[in-house]
Amino acid sequence: MSQSNHKKDIHRLKRIEGQVKGIIKMVENQKYCLDILTQIKAVKSALKSLETQILENHLDNCVKEAFESGSKKDRKEKMDEVINLIKKSGRP
């Protein structure tokens, strides 16, 4: 993944971190439960969006490079990684 992508990901993670800190304050201040749950859903959505973006970058860079390299071993390794990730994502 490129340096630019890492910077964007870090920026997004810092925003998510700020959201989580906001939720902590809401809980500490005993805010209305549905307001807290709404913020939790927003964090989950932001994490899912980041996860999707990182996976797309991985496929577009790392996996693509493995296929372009001509190495069957590299292709198999990258495909196995993605398949295992997909299998794990179905578990709680």
Side-chain angles (χ1 to χ4, degrees):
M1 193 168 10
S2 73
Q3 187 71 11
S4 174
N5 287 336
H6 282 303
K7 286 182 181 181
K8 288 177 188 175
D9 293 342
I10 290 169
H11 178 72
R12 290 174 80 173
L13 283 165
K14 288 186 183 285
R15 278 199 336 246
I16 293 167
E17 178 183 34
Q19 287 177 292
V20 171
K21 287 179 180 179
I23 294 169
I24 291 169
K25 287 181 184 178
M26 290 176 78
V27 172
E28 289 172 343
N29 294 327
Q30 299 178 348
K31 296 294 181 180
Y32 187 56
C33 296
L34 289 180
D35 292 339
I36 295 168
L37 290 169
T38 298
Q39 292 306 310
I40 290 170
K41 288 183 79 54
V43 168
K44 288 171 66 175
S45 177
L47 283 169
K48 183 65 178 168
S49 177
L50 178 61
E51 176 186 23
T52 299
Q53 183 62 49
I54 291 173
L55 178 58
E56 286 175 4
N57 287 336
H58 178 66
L59 293 171
D60 195 41
N61 293 299
C62 302
V63 175
K64 183 179 174 185
E65 286 175 15
F67 273 79
E68 290 174 347
S69 75
S71 167
K72 288 182 181 181
K73 179 182 176 227
D74 288 348
R75 285 194 306 257
K76 178 152 177 39
E77 283 178 6
K78 294 300 178 194
M79 292 302 293
D80 287 347
E81 288 174 352
V82 173
I83 290 167
N84 288 330
L85 177 68
I86 292 169
K87 285 179 181 177
K88 288 179 186 177
S89 68
R91 297 181 191 155

